Amino acid sequence: NAGVTQTPKFQVLKTGQSMTLQCAQDMNHNSMYWYRQDPGMGLRLIYYSASEGTTDKGEVPNGYNVSRLNKREFSLRLESAAPSQTSVYFCASSPPRGGTGELFFGEGSRLTVL
Amino acid sequence: AQSVSQHNHHVILSEAASLELGCNYSYGGTVNLFWYVQYPGQHLQLLLKYFSGDPLVKGIKGFEAEFIKSKFSFNLRKPSVQWSDTAEYFCAVNWMDSSYKLIFGSGTRLLVRP
């Protein structure tokens, strides 16, 4: 099983450019998440999707949009990248409600905005 | 507001020393508690979890954690660390009243010297 797959793994953008981070999971999980990881700040939740067809803002949603394309896929879009969005982005998924919050993470996408 | 605090940002130990990493969360209610580990260059992996029952939880690689409800704490311990335990450790809390969100602490970088 691949688990949670993120693409791309590395990306360099110029300020103002747009891009989409793709995430797919093959574990039939209902919930999916996007986090960003910055030194000394741990992981901060950007957006999450409790189930197919729903999305909600997390702690730091400004500057991002998401799409839950289907049960497997959850993409994160930066419409106009800013240097403050330089970070490592992690996608995660969790089982149905009975999974009680345990997350399964992808390998991360390192984004640099110049 | 929901928050998770990890008091030690950097810890340096020699092999065979004992480890205790602190974790506190902001308020009570029913919670699910987690410790995740991130080895250098890798994604986050679950170390151990507490949902209910015995407040002393045992995880992989000899780690354990104790949930003290009255102190809103979930400290991680290991009696004797190894060089291979060098990693970053994250405490995370899922409040059952917002069941789809997992809030992370800022992390503790552990360096174990041979």
Side-chain angles (χ1 to χ4, degrees):
Chain A
N1 284 342
V4 179
T5 304
Q6 294 179 231
T7 56
K9 288 188 170 45
F10 300 94
Q11 183 73 49
V12 179
L13 292 177
K14 295 181 180 178
T15 297
Q17 287 185 317
S18 62
M19 77 158 297
T20 301
L21 298 176
Q22 307 284 357
C23 175
Q25 53 90 10
D26 61 4
M27 296 175 283
N28 201 34
H29 286 171
N30 284 2
S31 301
M32 297 185 73
Y33 310 79
W34 278 104
Y35 284 88
R36 59 178 289 174
Q37 183 182 25
D38 302 292
M41 304 190 74
L43 277 80
R44 292 180 292 169
L45 182 63
I46 305 171
Y47 270 93
Y48 67 101
S49 171
S51 61
E52 185 179 356
T54 68
T55 61
D56 286 284
K57 294 179 181 179
E59 302 167 85
V60 289
N62 292 346
Y64 304 95
N65 286 302
V66 290
S67 295
R68 183 74 183 265
L69 303 170
N70 47 55
K71 190 171 185 178
R72 290 186 64 249
E73 299 172 288
F74 188 40
S75 62
L76 178 72
R77 183 159 179 85
L78 287 69
E79 291 291 352
S80 179
S84 61
Q85 294 178 304
T86 293
S87 188
V88 181
Y89 292 85
F90 286 97
C91 179
S93 67
S94 66
R97 178 63 181 84
T100 55
E102 179 179 349
L103 300 185
F104 296 78
F105 285 88
E107 294 189 350
S109 298
R110 185 174 293 275
L111 175 64
T112 301
V113 183
L114 302 175
Chain B
Q2 297 165 337
S3 65
V4 179
S5 299
Q6 291 182 241
H7 315 297
N8 314 101
H9 298 294
H10 293 90
V11 173
I12 301 174
L13 296 173
S14 298
E15 277 195 313
S18 64
L19 170 72
E20 181 161 3
L21 302 181
C23 172
N24 286 87
Y25 56 95
S26 55
Y27 70 91
T30 303
V31 292
N32 297 319
L33 302 161
F34 304 84
W35 277 96
Y36 284 84
V37 59
Q38 186 177 30
Y39 297 104
Q42 297 187 26
H43 61 290
L44 279 81
Q45 305 168 42
L46 183 67
L47 198 55
L48 51 78
K49 59 189 177 185
Y50 172 82
F51 292 162
S52 64
D54 188 344
L56 185 61
V57 180
K58 294 191 183 301
I60 60 172
K61 302 185 180 184
F63 286 90
E64 64 179 31
E66 184 176 13
F67 172 44
I68 303 179
K69 190 173 182 178
S70 61
K71 295 184 177 180
F72 304 139
S73 72
F74 190 55
N75 292 355
L76 181 71
R77 300 194 293 248
K78 185 171 185 178
S80 175
V81 295
Q82 300 173 312
W83 175 80
S84 58
D85 293 325
T86 294
E88 191 161 15
Y89 293 82
F90 294 92
C91 180
V93 179
N94 167 227
W95 279 268
M96 299 298 284
D97 60 356
S98 57
S99 48
Y100 297 104
K101 293 197 291 187
L102 192 62
I103 304 298
F104 284 81
S106 58
T108 298
R109 285 187 183 272
L110 172 65
L111 173 63
V112 179
R113 291 180 169 157

